[in-house]
Amino acid sequence: MKGGKFVAVGFSGILVVAVVIGVVAVQKSSSSGDSNKGDVLSTTSKSVSAICSPTDHQQACVDSLSAVANNQSATPKDFLQAALQYTVSAVKVALSNTTAIGNAANDPLNKMAVEDCKELLQYAIDELQASFSMVGDSSLHTMNDREAELLNWLSAVYSYQQTCVDGFTQADLQKAMSDGLLNATRLTENALSIVSSISQILAAFNIPLINTTSITNASSQQRRLLEAYDETAGGTDQYPTWLSAADRKLLARASPSSNIRPNAVVAKDGSGQFRTIAAALAAYPKNLQGRYVIYVKAGIYDEYITVEKNQVNVFMYGDGPRKTMVTGRKSNAGGVSTFKTASFS
Ligand SMILES: *[C@@H]1O[C@H](CO)[C@@H](O)[C@H](O)[C@H]1NC(C)=O
Ligand SMILES: *[C@@H]1O[C@H](CO)[C@@H](O)[C@H](O)[C@H]1NC(C)=O
Ligand SMILES: *[C@@H]1O[C@H](CO)[C@@H](O)[C@H](O)[C@H]1NC(C)=O
Ligand SMILES: *[C@@H]1O[C@H](CO)[C@@H](O)[C@H](O)[C@H]1NC(C)=O
Ligand SMILES: *[C@@H]1O[C@H](CO)[C@@H](O)[C@H](O)[C@H]1NC(C)=O
């Protein structure tokens, strides 16, 4: 596929553009962990050690597992759920202090940033709780199949927090928010690391994995179709690993020259139905069945994009990494850019 490839795929309530950035940002910060890595785990149980060894903030990880650490029958599901629950608590602490921090806001932009934070952190809590439920509903033996989806959700959680902090132009407020979110951010990074290592963790717990690729029915057929596609397209590595098979196939068809029909075309030059991504999102039909496909033509879009919770099936693609870009937020001229630069590859 040439030109338009991956942009962003929204699952329920995820800030789609932020998802991509989240993954990148987490990877970048992964070298700045606790300095005494290793020491922390020398006094913990084998289980806690197995869960926490891939994390960057090991003391925080050990603390987050205290509720289940002494349970000899606890499974990796219990540990992961404990870690997620602890993260929810940390975000709630930060959220509850947001109003107090906001009292020192002395202009409309920073007052707005406070309100944004409240909304974003609530989204983060919702997403964490959804992740908690997903882990609870998964079978232990196929939990690794949930890795991609969990990473997607947790990346969004991470992005919500970053976006909240980035919204402030007042340095004292930004620092207060960032400090207030420090625990939550570390725990989210830890959860991402744990989920990324889920296969190794399950192996450490001697949990036999069901090899879903060898099951011969519809789902494996879908996989084969996908593999066939990937071969013709020159390999699998052009998509993030967390992308579902269905979305990969949709992406495969979503190029400007293909016959996929976007529901909305956004073009800065006025050649589409909308000039802004926000306007295209606002036109999301209520009670839509299926994907709402938005094609964003080449251009730099200085926008603050929020995909609302009820816009469950948004799918966006652009003209290529250096052609379609999203920067900026609201009308914050020259200030902090919330979404850094989201490029539509
Ligand atoms: C320990 O973990 C097992 C397995 O998940 C669970 O059934 C049990 O209720 C837990 N025990 C306690 C005291 O939490
Ligand atoms: C962060 O976690 C530490 C250790 O659990 C705790 O002492 C501290 O109060 C927490 N900070 C916030 C802002 O919640
Ligand atoms: C809450 O915010 C206030 C004001 O910025 C700050 O002094 C205090 O340390 C914060 N508390 C927590 C738990 O983050
Ligand atoms: C799963 O099964 C397939 C086909 O039988 C095999 O090629 C693959 O190596 C197996 N994967 C694992 C992790 O065992
Ligand atoms: C796939 O195979 C499993 C095991 O044979 C079966 O339980 C499941 O219903 C099948 N799924 C589909 C979609 O056919």
Side-chain angles (χ1 to χ4, degrees):
M1 178 179 53
K2 296 187 186 69
K5 301 192 292 196
F6 174 72
V7 172
V9 181
F11 298 92
S12 46
I14 288 178
L15 234 86
V16 287
V17 177
V19 169
V20 185
I21 301 164
V23 177
V24 175
V26 171
Q27 281 168 352
K28 216 174 61 195
S29 69
S30 68
S31 55
S32 60
D34 295 341
S35 49
N36 58 346
K37 226 179 149 168
D39 299 355
V40 176
L41 298 181
S42 59
T43 56
T44 62
S45 73
K46 204 171 151 229
S47 301
V48 170
S49 174
I51 305 274
C52 290
S53 66
T55 65
D56 278 338
H57 312 288
Q58 300 196 324
Q59 187 58 56
C61 179
V62 171
D63 293 347
S64 72
L65 301 179
S66 57
V68 285
N70 296 321
N71 183 343
Q72 298 298 323
S73 7
T75 66
K77 271 173 73 165
D78 299 318
F79 281 103
L80 184 49
Q81 283 193 310
L84 292 170
Q85 196 57 52
Y86 204 83
T87 311
V88 169
S89 307
V91 179
K92 281 184 174 166
V93 168
L95 177 57
S96 68
N97 208 27
T98 303
T99 305
I101 291 172
N103 288 339
N106 50 26
D107 64 22
L109 180 73
N110 285 287
K111 287 196 171 84
M112 185 173 73
V114 174
E115 294 312 308
D116 285 352
C117 272
K118 288 182 186 165
E119 199 175 323
L120 288 160
L121 297 183
Q122 187 56 53
Y123 285 160
I125 291 167
D126 293 350
E127 217 76 54
L128 283 164
Q129 284 170 339
S131 304
F132 180 93
S133 302
M134 191 209 276
V135 171
D137 293 343
S138 313
S139 145
L140 198 50
H141 301 279
T142 55
M143 219 169 91
N144 53 328
D145 281 355
R146 301 297 193 154
E147 179 181 333
E149 212 162 347
L150 280 171
L151 285 179
N152 188 7
W153 292 10
L154 292 172
S155 298
V157 170
Y158 187 85
S159 297
Y160 290 140
Q161 296 166 39
Q162 296 297 304
T163 305
C164 158
V165 171
D166 287 349
F168 294 95
T169 52
Q170 220 176 304
D172 56 330
L173 294 190
Q174 189 165 52
K175 181 164 190 320
M177 201 66 225
S178 168
D179 289 349
L181 272 169
L182 189 61
N183 286 351
T185 304
R186 288 183 166 174
L187 290 163
T188 306
E189 286 177 12
N190 280 353
L192 279 160
S193 303
I194 294 169
V195 171
S196 303
S197 309
I198 198 72
S199 297
Q200 294 91 301
I201 289 170
L202 293 170
F205 277 74
N206 293 320
I207 291 167
L209 295 180
I210 294 171
N211 184 346
T212 47
T213 53
S214 61
I215 297 171
T216 54
N217 57 16
S219 81
S220 70
Q221 235 163 19
Q222 196 178 30
R223 259 172 227 258
R224 274 200 296 276
L225 279 175
L226 180 61
E227 277 157 17
Y229 161 69
D230 284 336
E231 268 161 36
T232 59
T236 55
D237 53 354
Q238 58 183 308
Y239 296 125
T241 52
W242 45 261
L243 213 57
S244 74
D247 284 326
R248 281 163 187 257
K249 278 199 277 184
L250 187 54
L251 279 168
R253 288 184 280 130
S255 82
S257 57
S258 75
N259 55 9
I260 189 170
R261 288 210 169 272
N263 302 73
V265 177
V266 180
K268 242 194 146 137
D269 61 8
S271 64
Q273 297 141 277
F274 303 99
R275 282 177 192 270
T276 64
I277 299 167
L281 281 169
Y284 184 98
K286 266 191 186 149
N287 308 319
L288 177 78
Q289 304 284 319
R291 288 270 189 229
Y292 184 60
V293 180
I294 303 176
Y295 166 39
V296 186
K297 285 196 177 182
I300 294 174
Y301 294 83
D302 189 6
E303 288 189 58
Y304 178 77
I305 301 173
T306 313
V307 178
E308 303 294 338
K309 287 235 124 190
N310 56 355
Q311 301 174 336
V312 291
N313 260 319
V314 174
F315 181 98
M316 282 195 266
Y317 66 98
D319 276 335
R322 280 181 195 77
K323 292 188 179 147
T324 304
M325 287 202 270
V326 180
T327 64
R329 56 173 278 113
K330 292 180 179 164
S331 51
N332 179 12
V336 185
S337 113
T338 299
F339 286 97
K340 311 248 162 54
T341 300
S343 63
F344 285 30
S345 53

